[in-house]
């Protein structure tokens, strides 16, 4: 059967042969002009657009026009176990958090599992990664550092030294008395998001925000009753607003 009005079986045969480059003489309503039209369509249709990725290390190839988010996990995940269990807060599901944060986000996610360490050297690693992204052509506004608990402390230290670049920073459950826990006096730039759980001992980052030279500051609270463990699982209460903020600021 013809596939559009006026098409003959012979015409359809010629079109299919044209794709293979074998048709020498076209017959049918459109003649050889149909070959030109078909080839134009083939050129215009994107073949194999690059998909965004989750990296467990810094990527080997950087795509300057894309968006990047770096997530730094809590202390309990340091080491080799991606799903450690806290007697107080339950299991920390690092793989599930990565997948939930990444899904439909429209960005590349770097989520490295840190080895056990008692120093702050990973903050320097984060800083070097951001500079490598910028040096490769990624706009600072399209880079976001996200950290929870110990990961948020390291993220804040890194963002402090990167303040002039005006990258985006999201700190989750790390502030007490308005400052980053055990790390007062920091000064961040760019856009800053703070999220904390109302039943947790850690709370607002308001003093940090007031002192910093920010483009914007947003602070959100969730109330699950799970204390610090609220961020051990990819609960929609914090995942959804975090991704919404990333979509708004990382661009």
């Amino acid at each position: 059967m013809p596939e559009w009005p006026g098409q003959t079986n012979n015409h359809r045969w010629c079109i299919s042969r044209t794709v293979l480059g074998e048709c020498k003489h076209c017959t049918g309503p459109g003649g050889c002009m149909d070959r030109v039209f078909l080839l134009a369509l083939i050129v215009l249709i994107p073949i194999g657009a690059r998909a965004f990725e989750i990296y467990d290390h810094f990527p080997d190839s950087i795509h300057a026009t894309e968006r990047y988010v770096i997530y730094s996990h809590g202390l309990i995940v340091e080491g080799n176990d991606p799903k450690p269990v806290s007697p107080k807060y339950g299991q920390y599901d690092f793989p599930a958090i990565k997948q939930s944060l990444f899904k439909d986000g429209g960005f590349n996610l770097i989520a490295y599992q840190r080895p056990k360490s008692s120093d702050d050297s990973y903050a320097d690693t984060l800083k070097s990664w951001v500079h490598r992204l910028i040096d490769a052509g990624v706009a600072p506004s399209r880079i976001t550092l996200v950290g929870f608990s110990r990961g948020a402390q390291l993220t804040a230290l890194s963002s402090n030294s990167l303040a002039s670049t005006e990258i985006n920073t999201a700190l989750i459950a790390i502030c007490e008395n308005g400052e980053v826990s055990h790390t007062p006096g920091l000064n961040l730039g760019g856009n800053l998001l703070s999220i904390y759980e109302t039943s947790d001992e850690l709370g607002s980052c308001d003093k940090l925000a007031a002192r910093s030279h920010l483009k914007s500051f947003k602070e959100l609270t969730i109330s699950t009753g799970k204390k610090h463990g609220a961020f051990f699982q990819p609960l929609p209460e914090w995942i959804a607003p975090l991704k919404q903020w990333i979509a708004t600021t990382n661009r």
Side-chain angles (χ1 to χ4, degrees), residues 141-161:
S141 63
R142 296 171 76 87
I143 301 171
T144 301
L145 299 186
V146 180
F148 161 64
S149 194
R150 171 60 170 158
Q153 182 187 34
L154 294 167
T155 292
L157 284 168
S158 180
S159 291
N160 175 70
S161 61

Side-chain angles (χ1 to χ4, degrees), residues 111-154:
Y112 171 67
Q113 186 169 4
R114 305 185 304 273
K116 289 186 179 295
S117 175
S118 58
D119 62 35
D120 297 332
S121 59
Y122 182 69
D124 292 329
T125 298
L126 287 174
K127 178 181 176 181
S128 70
W129 287 353
V130 169
H131 279 304
R132 287 170 67 181
L133 290 171
I134 294 173
D135 290 346
V138 180
S141 63
R142 296 171 76 87
I143 301 171
T144 301
L145 299 186
V146 180
F148 161 64
S149 194
R150 171 60 170 158
Q153 182 187 34
L154 294 167

Side-chain angles (χ1 to χ4, degrees), residues 13-14 22-27 32 35:
W13 175 87
C14 182
E22 300 172 0
C23 186
K24 301 299 183 182
H25 302 284
C26 290
T27 60
C32 286
R35 284 197 298 178

Side-chain angles (χ1 to χ4, degrees), residues 5 8 36 47 59 77 80 109 114 144 155 162 176 223 233 245:
T8 65
V36 177
I47 300 175
V77 186
N80 299 316
L109 177 64
R114 305 185 304 273
T144 301
T155 292
L162 292 163
E176 54 184 349
S223 299
Q233 299 287 326
W245 178 83

Side-chain angles (χ1 to χ4, degrees), residues 47-119:
I47 300 175
R50 209 191 82 83
F52 300 111
E53 298 183 48
I54 301 178
Y55 299 94
D56 59 9
H57 59 279
F58 191 81
D60 295 327
S61 298
I62 299 170
H63 302 271
T65 60
E66 295 179 358
R67 303 159 62 215
Y68 288 83
V69 174
I70 305 176
Y71 171 77
S72 297
H73 57 70
L75 179 66
I76 192 173
V77 186
E78 289 187 353
N80 299 316
D81 187 357
K83 293 186 176 183
V85 178
S86 163
K88 189 174 181 181
Y89 301 121
Q91 185 183 70
Y92 193 122
D93 199 336
F94 184 41
I97 289 172
K98 289 193 291 184
Q99 288 294 334
S100 294
L101 184 57
F102 175 75
K103 183 180 179 182
D104 299 324
F107 51 74
N108 297 293
L109 177 64
I110 304 170
Y112 171 67
Q113 186 169 4
R114 305 185 304 273
K116 289 186 179 295
S117 175
S118 58
D119 62 35

